[in-house]
Amino acid sequence: MRVGGLVVLIWLIIGAIAAGQRGYYGSSSTTCAHAGTIVATIAAGPLNSVGVNPKISCHLPSPSS
């Protein structure tokens, strides 16, 4: 169980590094698509180094008037 947790932690750290290398943290954009792309990049972890570049798009409904 400890080894599995360590593997997951290393996986997420590698994904966080990949998101940083792509400049996702420095952007001032606060859309759900930007946040989703950061989360997907972190979740993809080491797969980022073989060319996986996840992008998320989302459309929130406008408030009715």
Side-chain angles (χ1 to χ4, degrees):
M1 183 86 90
R2 287 179 179 235
V3 174
L6 184 61
V7 169
V8 169
L9 179 64
I10 292 170
W11 182 278
L12 295 176
I13 289 171
I14 292 170
I17 291 169
Q21 289 174 336
R22 292 181 178 166
Y24 292 159
Y25 300 130
S27 176
S28 63
S29 177
T30 57
T31 64
C32 68
H34 184 73
T37 298
I38 291 173
V39 170
T41 300
I42 292 172
L47 297 176
N48 290 298
S49 54
V50 294
V52 174
N53 190 11
K55 297 283 184 181
I56 304 295
S57 64
C58 59
H59 305 282
L60 295 175
S62 299
S64 58
S65 52

